[in-house]
Structures are given as structure tokens and as C-alpha cells.
């Protein structure tokens, strides 16, 4: 190969929930529900694909009509779903209702294509995959939570030095065994190179305090970089050597569904553009480079919140 040629960019593998959000809509006949593809990790995969990152996705996808919708959305974003073997189990449905202005969720998740994944279902990871993204409520329930943890542990131990990013996207209302879940998240943080948390996630995980001190407690568990989003105030980056903050642009917010998921994809896309989608390359990024990636992630998320539902931007929409 000529020295001027570049090798193919490493691919990103997103592992975690894909589901159908049943969103309430008013009709002349009364309230109805609109089925929309969703799930935190699914949204990150869609966003990464739209931002031009070579992306694969793995989770349980049903052969039912909702599974077809999920596959179609992945294909539209150029996300490779070949690792998802067809399942005759049903898709997970998440019914959303508003009670006194607050969203409440009813999950129909028993015996579903995703939840029932076991370690026997873990696929062989293609050679082109250089980074793994995990997170979401799929880490809460069994057996899929243990399956994703086992997959991450294998990925970390295979000796190829590939990047792992974690966003637990903590939802306290879904957690039934808090001690077991906290232990899992701590183990996964120890396996990860990049950990992203909202300020609310951070407080739940390590308790109240200043963000810098809270982030330091997470860094002590092993990751090289901790990212903390603070809604409309932007995001912080913390490493052992430096810290930084990027403000969010002022936008008119339609809703915040999928904003954090888009942020994750934006940060990974920015790393990929800098050929830093690997632990060693990440370790050599200076403060300016990390903050530039953080800024790209914040701007991508800012576009997503101007739209109803999880609708991340395409690469052409970001200058």
C-alpha cells in the first residue's frame, strides 16, 4: 500500500436496547399511540450512522412488524444490522403517558427478542470493529444485562486494544435490585475508556457534591475520560490531566428525547474524524482536541432537541 493511502476507519459496534416508543397522540376519536423506533443505544447507532461513522448494531430484533420498523430505520441510517439474528419473540413496547405533565412509561418487555438474549447469543465481533458502545436500560434487566456485560468483558480482554464507551443512562424507576445494578455499572466503568453521564446520573451514582469531585470518583474506577452533560448548560470533560467545559448553543427546544444518545454519537464521530477511535490515540489527545470533540457532540445534540422525538442530525447539517 502506498504511504499516502489511509486504512479504512474502524467501525463502531453499538450494543443495547432497541424498542418501539408508543407515543400518545390526540385524534378525533380520542387518544391513540404512534409507534416510533427508539431505545437509547438504538438511537446512538442511528445518530452515528447519520454522522458518517461506519456503524454496526447488535441486539435482539423480532420478525414482527415492529422489528421490521427497527430494521428499516437502521438501514435508512446505513447502520449494519447483520449481527442481529431474526427472533420470533416479540419486540419491546414502551407506552408513554403524561400524568400532570410528567412522562410515565409502561414497558411490555417480558419474553422479548432483546431481553431474552443470553451469552450463547453473543456474536463473533467482525474484525473491522474498533470501538464498542454500550449502555441504556438493557443493562438493568436479565438475562440481557449479564449478556452485554459478558460481551464487554470479552471485548476488553481480547488483546486488540479496542475502545469501549459506556453511557448507563440511569433510570432509577426501572431498577429492581439496586445493589446488583450498581455493582454492574461499576464493573463496566472499570472496563470502559470513555464514560458519559448526565449530571443526574452522576449524582445517583456517587452521591451529591461538586461535579468535579463526583467525576474524580468515577475516574478513580478506571476510565481515561469522563464526560458529564448538564442539559442546556453544555458538557464537561474530565481526565487525570485536565478538565474543560463547552457551552451549549441557544436553541428552541421541542423536546429532549434522544439528546444524550445523539451526544454520544457526536463524540464518537469526532474521535473517528481525528483517527482517535482507539484507547492509545485517545490517550494522546490534548485538551484542545478533546474539547473540539466535545463541542461537536454538544452541537449535534442541540440540533436534535429542536425536533420532536429522537431525530438526530445528518453530518451535512453540522458545519
Amino acid at each position: 500500500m502506498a504511504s499516502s493511502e489511509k486504512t479504512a476507519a474502524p467501525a463502531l459496534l453499538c450494543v443495547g436496547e432497541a424498542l418501539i416508543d408508543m407515543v400518545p397522540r390526540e385524534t378525533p376519536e380520542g387518544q391513540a399511540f404512534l409507534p416510533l423506533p427508539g431505545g437509547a443505544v438504538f438511537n446512538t447507532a442511528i445518530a452515528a450512522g447519520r454522522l458518517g461513522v461506519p456503524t454496526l448494531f447488535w441486539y435482539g430484533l423480532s420478525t414482527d412488524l415492529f422489528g421490521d420498523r427497527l430494521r428499516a430505520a437502521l438501514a435508512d441510517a446505513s447502520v449494519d444490522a447483520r449481527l442481529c439474528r431474526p427472533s420470533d419473540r416479540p419486540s419491546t413496547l414502551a407506552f408513554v403517558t403524561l400524568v400532570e405533565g410528567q412522562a410515565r412509561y409502561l414497558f411490555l418487555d417480558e419474553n422479548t427478542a432483546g431481553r431474552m438474549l443470553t451469552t450463547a447469543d453473543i456474536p463473533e465481533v467482525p474484525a473491522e470493529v474498533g470501538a464498542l458502545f454500550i449502555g441504556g436500560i438493557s443493562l438493568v434487566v436479565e438475562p440481557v444485562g449479564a449478556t452485554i456485560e459478558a460481551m464487554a468483558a470479552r471485548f476488553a480482554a481480547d488483546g486488540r486494544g479496542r475502545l469501549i464507551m459506556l453511557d448507563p443512562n440511569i433510570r432509577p424507576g426501572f431498577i429492581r435490585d439496586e445493589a446488583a445494578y450498581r455493582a454492574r455499572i461499576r464493573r463496566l466503568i472499570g472496563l470502559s475508556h470513555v464514560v458519559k453521564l448526565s449530571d443526574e446520573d452522576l449524582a445517583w451514582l456517587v452521591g451529591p457534591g461538586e461535579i468535579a469531585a463526583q467525576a474524580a470518583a468515577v475516574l478513580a474506577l478506571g476510565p481515561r475520560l469522563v464526560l458529564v452533560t448538564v442539559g442546556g448548560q453544555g458538557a464537561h470533560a474530565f481526565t487525570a490531566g485536565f478538565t474543560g467545559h463547552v457551552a451549549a448553543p441557544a436553541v428552541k427546544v421541542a423536546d429532549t428525547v434522544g439528546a444524550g444518545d445523539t451526544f454520544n454519537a457526536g463524540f464518537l464521530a469526532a474521535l473517528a474524524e481525528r483517527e482517535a477511535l482507539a484507547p492509545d490515540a485517545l490517550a494522546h489527545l490534548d485538551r484542545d482536541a478533546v474539547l473540539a470533540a466535545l463541542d461537536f457532540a454538544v452541537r449535534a445534540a442541540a440540533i436534535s432537541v429542536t425536533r420532536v422525538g429522537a431525530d438526530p442530525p445528518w453530518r451535512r447539517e453540522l458545519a
Side-chain angles (χ1 to χ4, degrees), residues 3-308:
S3 60
S4 60
E5 292 184 37
K6 294 176 67 175
T7 58
L12 168 67
L13 172 59
C14 295
V15 174
E17 76 267 13
L19 50 81
I20 296 294
D21 285 318
M22 303 296 286
V23 181
R25 291 289 187 270
E26 291 299 326
T27 73
E29 292 76 27
Q31 187 180 74
F33 288 90
L34 177 67
L36 296 174
V41 179
F42 177 89
N43 292 338
T44 293
I46 295 291
R50 289 186 178 187
L51 291 173
V53 180
T55 303
L56 294 87
F57 179 76
W58 182 66
Y59 198 61
L61 293 184
S62 176
T63 54
D64 64 20
L65 74 164
F66 298 123
D68 291 343
R69 288 283 302 273
L70 292 165
R71 287 181 183 274
L74 291 166
D76 184 64
S78 299
V79 176
D80 187 336
R82 72 180 186 268
L83 299 180
C84 304
R85 290 189 296 180
S87 170
D88 59 5
R89 298 182 186 274
S91 298
T92 298
L93 304 181
F95 283 82
V96 185
T97 57
L98 295 177
V99 179
E100 296 180 352
Q102 298 297 312
R104 293 188 181 178
Y105 297 87
L106 169 64
F107 275 80
L108 302 183
D109 193 36
E110 293 297 325
N111 201 40
T112 57
R115 181 169 181 171
M116 300 310 294
L117 289 173
T118 69
T119 53
D121 298 308
I122 295 175
E124 182 176 349
V125 177
E128 69 264 28
V129 171
L132 175 69
F133 175 82
I134 56 174
I137 60 172
S138 47
L139 298 177
V140 178
V141 293
E142 304 298 352
V144 67
T147 300
I148 294 174
E149 182 179 354
M151 187 174 185
R154 293 183 194 180
F155 194 87
D158 70 1
R160 293 181 54 186
R162 297 182 291 186
L163 186 86
I164 299 177
M165 180 173 176
L166 166 71
D167 175 9
N169 196 26
I170 296 166
R171 295 293 181 261
F174 300 150
I175 300 166
R176 296 293 175 263
D177 187 340
E178 185 175 311
Y181 176 71
R182 283 183 178 275
R184 171 168 292 156
I185 295 303
R186 290 175 71 89
R187 290 192 299 270
L188 289 173
I189 288 173
L191 293 175
S192 301
H193 305 96
V194 181
V195 175
K196 177 261 185 173
L197 300 153
S198 70
D199 53 345
E200 291 152 342
D201 293 341
L202 193 58
W204 187 91
L205 190 63
V206 303
E210 295 293 326
I211 286 180
Q214 293 170 315
V218 178
L219 279 171
L221 297 176
R224 296 182 180 178
L225 175 61
V226 173
L227 308 176
V228 182
T229 55
V230 285
Q233 297 176 42
H236 299 270
F238 299 91
T239 74
F242 60 81
T243 66
H245 172 261
V246 169
V251 296
K252 183 177 181 180
V253 177
D255 70 40
T256 59
V257 176
D261 311 323
T262 300
F263 174 94
N264 295 330
F267 191 80
L268 289 165
L271 291 186
E273 287 190 3
R274 289 165 176 77
E275 299 184 354
L277 204 59
D280 289 344
L282 177 70
H284 287 94
L285 289 182
D286 62 17
R287 183 176 184 272
D288 288 345
V290 170
L291 292 186
L294 194 66
D295 178 70
F296 185 84
V298 167
R299 289 190 291 116
I303 293 175
S304 75
V305 302
T306 66
R307 303 167 173 173
V308 175

